[in-house]
């Protein structure tokens, strides 16, 4: 049996994955493989580097750190000045790089990790889904998290990469392709929330992207082979502000998100265990 943790993208909502990890690790569910996209690549590199319950406390500290708050929380006028200079992005990638380096070390390589890790980014030049699983780790994870317009593309080997969520937001199929037979999907809840037709200009791109994101996951979920044991973990419910355009900047719900996801995942795993015991 090969157990895979699949960690999806979702910006600040990715805090729910920390709660899910706590519930899994408390029940001694350990990964043999970690696959991540965007914020899932950051949480994923942490668990791959330290696949023990102690990583949860470290992730909680990281999510509450000044570096996490600075990733998207910079003063608006400063962001607009940066956009005017760069013409491509609002935010400085330095706080995000510092956050990743604090978790795994400045010179970390995939080969240093305790558990195999693969992270997804989108190549601009090849218009292609690209997977990193060897070599320097920090740049690959940063590339996977480089949200277009928010952060600049990351250059690796002469190519430029942007957020992996553009091509594969919840990389279930990649885990199965790499041999996973039991898969735990850590997702931020969007696939559980109903979509409505756009009512204002700011909704148009959001709805279009959600259709693309969810279509890929639902297609991959429906194609899961019979021999694979799939668990899509519950995220515990959202917050009314999640629907706002500026929600990607809001870090004040981090602890609440972690606790809700922990409670929901704990209950789910208990039900799974009870079902197996009664079978």
């Amino acid at each position: 049996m090969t157990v895979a943790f699949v960690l999806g993208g979702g910006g600040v909502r990715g805090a729910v994955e920390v709660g899910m990890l706590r519930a899994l690790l408390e029940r001694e569910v350990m990964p043999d493989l970690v696959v991540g996209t965007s914020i899932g690549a950051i949480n994923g590199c942490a668990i791959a580097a330290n696949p023990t319950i102690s990583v949860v406390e470290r992730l909680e500290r990281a999510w509450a750190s000044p570096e996490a708050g600075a990733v998207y929380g910079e003063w608006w006028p400063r962001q607009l000045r940066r956009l005017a200079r760069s013409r491509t992005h609002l935010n400085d990638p330095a706080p995000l790089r510092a956050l990743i380096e604090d978790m795994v070390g400045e010179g970390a390589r995939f080969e240093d990790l305790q558990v195999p890790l693969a992270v997804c980014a989108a190549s601009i030049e090849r218009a292609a889904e690209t997977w990193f699983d060897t070599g320097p780790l920090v740049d690959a994870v940063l590339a996977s998290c480089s949200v277009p317009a928010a952060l600049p593309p990351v250059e690796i080997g002469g190519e430029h990469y942007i957020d992996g969520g553009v091509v594969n937001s919840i990389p279930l199929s990649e885990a199965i392709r790499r041999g996973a037979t039991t898969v735990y999907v850590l997702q931020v809840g969007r696939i559980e929330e109903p979509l409505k037709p756009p009512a204002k200009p700011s909704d148009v791109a959001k709805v279009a992207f959600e259709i693309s994101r969810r279509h890929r996951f639902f297609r991959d979920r429906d194609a899961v082979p019979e021999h694979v044991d799939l668990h899509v973990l519950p995220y515990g419910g959202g917050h009314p502000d999640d629907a706002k355009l500026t929600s990607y900047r809001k870090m004040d719900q981090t602890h609440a998100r972690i606790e809700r996801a922990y409670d929901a995942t704990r209950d789910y795993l208990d039900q799974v265990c009870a079902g197996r015991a009664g079978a």
Side-chain angles (χ1 to χ4, degrees):
M1 181 175 70
T2 299
V3 177
F5 288 1
V6 173
L7 294 95
V12 298
R13 295 176 64 159
V16 302
E17 296 174 353
V18 180
M20 294 171 179
L21 286 170
R22 188 203 304 167
L24 288 164
L25 296 173
E26 281 183 350
R27 284 150 184 79
E28 299 185 344
V29 180
M30 303 295 179
D32 302 301
L33 168 69
V34 179
V35 180
T37 293
S38 196
I39 192 61
I42 295 181
N43 292 331
C45 74
I47 184 67
N50 178 16
T52 71
I53 191 65
S54 65
V55 77
V56 173
E57 183 179 350
R58 184 163 191 182
L59 278 168
E60 289 175 341
R61 288 200 308 269
W63 273 89
S65 68
E67 289 83 3
V71 172
Y72 296 123
E74 199 174 32
W75 193 39
W76 268 113
R78 185 173 297 170
Q79 289 183 322
L80 293 175
R81 287 197 297 270
R82 183 175 295 107
L83 178 61
R85 292 194 305 270
S86 69
R87 300 186 180 183
T88 59
H89 59 277
L90 288 162
N91 298 95
D92 181 359
L96 185 55
R97 179 180 290 277
L99 187 69
I100 299 167
E101 290 176 346
D102 183 61
M103 287 187 183
V104 297
E106 183 176 351
R109 299 177 64 84
F110 282 89
E111 293 82 358
D112 300 330
L113 300 172
Q114 298 298 308
V115 175
L117 169 71
V119 301
C120 179
S123 167
I124 293 175
E125 285 83 357
R126 291 181 291 112
E129 178 178 324
T130 304
W131 286 92
F132 294 96
D133 56 10
T134 60
L137 178 60
V138 174
D139 279 352
V141 174
L142 185 62
S144 184
C145 303
S146 291
V147 178
L151 294 166
V154 176
E155 184 177 355
I156 301 175
E159 287 188 49
H160 296 82
Y161 295 91
I162 59 174
D163 194 294
V166 172
V167 288
N168 198 341
S169 184
I170 306 175
L172 168 61
S173 60
E174 185 65 19
I176 295 172
R177 188 184 75 80
R178 291 173 180 261
T181 54
T182 299
V183 180
Y184 293 92
V185 173
L186 289 72
Q187 51 84 32
V188 304
R190 289 193 175 105
I191 59 172
E192 300 180 34
E193 298 169 353
L195 271 183
K196 299 178 181 179
K200 53 185 182 294
S202 61
D203 290 342
V204 176
K206 176 182 175 182
V207 169
F209 182 55
E210 282 300 320
I211 291 171
S212 174
R213 180 207 311 263
R214 298 181 193 196
H215 166 76
R216 172 71 186 264
F217 174 71
F218 293 146
R219 185 191 67 185
D220 290 349
R221 182 197 60 187
D222 293 344
V224 170
E226 290 186 3
H227 73 275
V228 174
D229 188 15
L230 174 64
H231 302 274
V232 180
L233 301 180
Y235 80 117
H239 185 271
D241 287 346
D242 288 347
K244 294 182 179 179
L245 188 62
T246 57
S247 64
Y248 77 97
R249 294 166 52 88
K250 301 291 187 180
M251 299 295 293
D252 57 335
Q253 284 293 308
T254 294
H255 180 72
R257 291 185 199 278
I258 292 172
E259 292 304 315
R260 288 196 299 266
Y262 169 73
D263 290 341
T265 300
R266 177 200 59 200
D267 292 346
Y268 171 83
L269 293 174
D270 288 347
Q271 291 172 8
V272 169
C273 290
R276 288 173 177 166

